[in-house]
């Protein structure tokens, strides 16, 4: 039996307390005196927003994107705060973004910006876990504590959605491009080795709900190692093997055998779907050269293109963990912040994200697809001696679009130097709860771990101002 995490936000609901709480439900469904966080208030959610999103694409800027150099510039701040970048007008009067996001500036009416996301923790791994699972880790003050995912972890939002809303056998529920991981380093030189991080898998829900990872180049034949056929096994031979195995096991009747067979059958179906050449679920070969150019012929752009194809096919959650896609160290810009942003990070984000939003809109998919873009935290207002910005959990910006989100909205405001929220502070767990709400999952929904212990789906509140 796996021990329950020690964080107060992930303590399972004791059965006796759960029954007592059930007796205290109000007509609106609120848990009276609940110790497990604020419940969803139906009054604060706009009509028609619950369950409006059929799919979710999470663009996770791993490392911590600088809000002051992307979506919350401070042109009147001192030079050591504002930096060299200029702000430009968007197609929404009064809303400005960075000059290096010109494409996104032209479609600001399609997304909302939350400029007051705040949590008092500036450590990578605890905040990655917090923003993706909606729970604190058992070591919230430890930075860069690279421990592999554990079965005692709370699930990534993609695993949670898949658990509550299971996909068909022909589709994966949660696809990660790539898996949640960072590069390991030795004496300052980064290796290509990857270290998986807590918060990226299914944890307490079990391996069945772990992500299907696209760790190779998006669209390449070997991009999905888990369901790639060996070189000496063609699809026809693979299918013949499965037919023969089915005949041998036709007499199995135990519950365990049937459960195993169901999981294996799903894996077989996905393996076949992934090895159908240009028609593969994970191929982008059939897209036109113009479409590849539109998204960008770089790893991030092609990941976004693949994400669109996956949600178009019916995949529930696609998480693009935007790190290790550039020659710089992702979004952890402690040094040469502006050089890295200008040369790669912002052009890649601007091209890929604007193409995704516009493409979904043109295909009439944006209304049913929630797109969320954020990282684990923002970065310091003051520029350091290495022309970089350091970790800053007290203020950051989140971009949301589609799936019932009000386009053209700017919610919340940071202070004059972008250090703290000036109005409407939003906890990252509230973003988490809002994403679940648009996917048709109430935060009060109870999920059970492998030991059948009950947990709330979310401890946050739905940010009703975002919905419409």
């Amino acid at each position: 039996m796996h021990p329950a995490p020690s964080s107060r936000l992930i303590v399972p609901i004791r059965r006796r307390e759960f029954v007592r709480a059930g007796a205290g439900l109000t007509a609106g469904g609120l848990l009276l005196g609940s110790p497990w966080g604020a419940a969803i208030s139906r009054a604060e959610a706009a009509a028609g927003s619950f369950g409006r999103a059929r799919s979710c694409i999470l663009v996770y800027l791993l490392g911590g994107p600088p809000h002051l150099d992307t979506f919350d510039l401070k042109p009147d701040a001192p030079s050591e705060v504002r930096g060299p970048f200029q702000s430009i007008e968007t197609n929404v009067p009064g809303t400005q973004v960075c000059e290096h996001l010109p494409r996104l500036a032209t479609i600001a009416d399609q997304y909302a910006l939350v400029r007051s996301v705040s949590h008092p923790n500036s450590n990578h791994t605890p905040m990655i876990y917090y923003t993706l699972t909606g729970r604190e880790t058992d070591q919230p003050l430890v930075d860069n504590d690279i421990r592999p995912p554990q079965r005692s972890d709370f699930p990534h939002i993609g695993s949670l959605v898949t658990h509550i809303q299971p996909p068909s056998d022909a589709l994966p529920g949660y696809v990660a491009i790539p898996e949640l991981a960072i590069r390991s380093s030795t004496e300052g030189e980064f290796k290509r080795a990857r270290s998986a991080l807590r918060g990226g898998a299914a944890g307490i829900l079990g391996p069945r709900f772990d992500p299907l990872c696209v760790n190779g180049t998006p669209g390449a034949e070997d991009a999905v190692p888990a369901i790639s056929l060996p070189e000496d096994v063609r699809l026809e031979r693979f299918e013949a093997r499965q037919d023969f195995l089915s005949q041998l096991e036709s007499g199995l009747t135990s519950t365990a055998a049937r459960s195993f067979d169901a999981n294996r059958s799903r894996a077989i179906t996905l393996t076949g779907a992934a090895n159908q050449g240009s028609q593969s679920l994970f191929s982008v070969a059939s897209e036109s050269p113009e479409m590849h150019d539109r998204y960008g012929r770089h790893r991030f752009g092609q990941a976004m293109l693949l994400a669109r194809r996956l949600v178009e096919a019916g995949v529930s959650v696609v998480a693009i963990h935007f790190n290790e896609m550039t020659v710089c160290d992702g979004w952890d810009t402690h040094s040469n912040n502006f050089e890295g942003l200008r040369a790669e990070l912002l052009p890649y984000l601007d091209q890929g994200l604007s193409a995704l939003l516009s493409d979904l809109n043109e295909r009439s998919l944006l209304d049913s697809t929630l797109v969320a873009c954020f990282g684990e935290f923002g970065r310091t207002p003051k520029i350091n001696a290495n022309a970089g910005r350091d970790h800053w959990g007290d203020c950051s910006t989140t971009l949301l679009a589609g799936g019932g989100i009000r386009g053209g909205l700017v919610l919340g405001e940071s202070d004059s130097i972008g250090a703290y929220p000036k109005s409407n502070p939003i906890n990252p767990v509230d973003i988490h709860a809002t994403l679940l709400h648009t996917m048709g999952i109430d935060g009060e929904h109870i999920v059970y771990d492998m030991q059948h212990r009950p947990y709330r789906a979310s401890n946050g509140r739905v940010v009703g101002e975002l919905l419409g």
Side-chain angles (χ1 to χ4, degrees):
M1 178 179 292
H2 299 282
S6 60
S7 170
R8 65 179 178 84
L9 290 181
I10 194 175
V11 173
I13 303 172
R14 295 181 177 86
R15 295 178 185 274
R16 184 175 299 173
E17 293 174 345
F18 178 61
V19 173
R20 288 176 180 172
L25 289 175
T26 69
L30 304 184
L31 283 172
L32 298 177
S34 167
W36 308 298
I40 289 178
S41 169
R42 304 301 190 277
E44 69 181 330
S49 63
F50 185 76
R52 191 160 161 183
R54 180 177 64 98
S55 301
C56 174
I57 298 175
L58 171 60
V59 182
Y60 196 74
L61 308 183
L62 188 59
H67 55 295
L68 287 157
D69 306 314
T70 52
F71 298 108
D72 191 14
L73 280 73
K74 301 295 180 181
D76 298 325
S79 59
E80 63 269 21
V81 171
R82 70 173 182 267
F85 293 168
Q86 304 296 312
S87 60
I88 58 173
E89 295 292 337
T90 68
N91 69 338
V92 175
T95 299
Q96 299 178 330
V97 297
C98 177
E99 62 181 315
H100 298 294
L101 299 173
R103 293 180 175 90
L104 285 171
T106 66
I107 57 170
D109 59 323
Q110 295 182 14
Y111 55 81
L113 295 174
V114 186
R115 288 176 170 168
S116 55
V117 178
S118 179
H119 188 69
N121 190 326
S122 299
N123 298 313
H124 276 302
T125 51
M127 285 303 292
I128 291 169
Y129 186 90
Y130 188 60
T131 52
L132 292 177
T133 70
R135 299 299 199 278
E136 288 182 349
T137 68
D138 50 359
Q139 294 182 300
L141 300 180
V142 177
D143 192 21
N144 289 328
D145 177 32
I146 302 175
R147 290 192 292 167
Q150 303 169 32
R151 284 297 159 214
S152 58
D153 293 341
F154 208 77
H156 184 288
I157 189 172
S159 295
L160 184 63
V161 170
T162 300
H163 174 77
I164 298 173
Q165 300 174 345
S168 70
D169 287 343
L171 291 171
Y174 160 35
V175 176
I177 316 175
E179 66 183 315
L180 181 64
I182 61 173
R183 289 175 286 183
S184 57
S185 64
T186 302
E187 298 180 355
E189 293 185 3
F190 283 90
K191 299 178 180 179
R192 298 304 296 175
R194 305 166 61 84
S195 298
L197 295 175
R198 296 178 65 188
I204 60 173
L205 300 180
R208 178 183 173 188
F209 301 101
D210 282 340
L212 187 58
C213 300
V214 182
N215 284 334
T217 301
E221 291 184 3
D222 60 349
V224 193
I227 54 176
S228 296
L229 290 176
E231 292 184 4
D232 62 338
V233 178
R234 294 190 176 184
L235 185 59
E236 295 78 7
R237 184 182 176 192
F238 172 76
E239 292 173 343
R241 285 179 172 183
Q242 304 316 313
D243 289 339
F244 180 61
L245 184 61
S246 296
Q247 295 176 38
L248 289 177
E249 296 186 341
S250 59
L252 295 178
T253 59
S254 71
T255 300
R258 288 196 302 270
S259 177
F260 177 79
D261 186 62
N263 288 335
R264 185 178 60 195
S265 295
R266 184 164 179 268
I268 291 169
T269 300
L270 292 175
T271 300
N275 290 274
Q276 293 286 352
S278 63
Q279 299 306 312
S280 164
L281 179 65
F282 297 96
S283 174
V284 293
S286 62
E287 298 289 338
S288 68
E290 293 77 16
M291 189 61 71
H292 285 281
D293 291 340
R294 182 180 186 181
Y295 277 84
R297 292 182 181 270
H298 41 76
R299 185 181 175 91
F300 178 66
Q302 295 304 292
M304 300 289 265
L305 176 56
L306 177 57
R308 187 267 289 163
R309 289 178 59 85
L310 289 171
V311 299
E312 195 171 29
V315 174
S316 297
V317 179
V318 181
I320 301 168
H321 300 121
F322 187 6
N323 189 29
E324 207 174 346
M325 296 184 183
T326 65
V327 296
C328 61
D329 183 26
W331 295 87
D332 196 20
T333 53
H334 290 283
S335 61
N336 298 320
N337 173 72
F338 304 101
E339 178 183 345
L341 290 172
R342 182 188 297 109
E344 288 191 332
L345 293 172
L346 293 185
Y348 285 5
L349 177 64
D350 187 48
Q351 183 176 20
L353 184 55
S354 65
L356 175 67
L357 295 176
S358 298
D359 197 10
L360 289 171
N361 190 46
E362 292 163 9
R363 294 169 186 268
S364 299
L365 290 172
L366 187 57
D367 190 58
S368 62
T369 305
L370 175 69
V371 179
C373 181
F374 55 88
E376 61 265 42
F377 42 57
R379 304 198 78 81
T380 51
K382 188 173 181 179
I383 301 166
N384 65 29
N386 296 315
R389 297 190 192 268
D390 301 315
H391 306 170
W392 192 254
D394 290 291
C395 197
S396 65
T397 297
T398 288
L399 182 151
L400 299 169
I405 298 297
R406 292 170 54 194
L409 175 70
V410 175
L411 179 63
E413 180 184 2
S414 62
D415 62 24
S416 61
I417 60 171
Y420 302 97
K422 182 179 178 181
S423 66
N424 208 351
I426 303 294
N427 193 299
V429 297
D430 299 334
I431 299 295
H432 189 270
T434 304
L435 301 187
L436 291 176
H437 175 88
T438 65
M439 293 290 290
I441 298 173
D442 194 307
E444 294 177 26
H445 182 95
I446 301 301
V447 296
Y448 296 88
D449 66 10
M450 292 181 290
Q451 283 74 46
H452 209 64
R453 294 173 295 192
Y455 299 79
R456 286 170 56 96
S458 175
N459 284 335
R461 71 174 183 90
V462 171
V463 186
E465 303 96 315
L466 287 167
L467 306 170

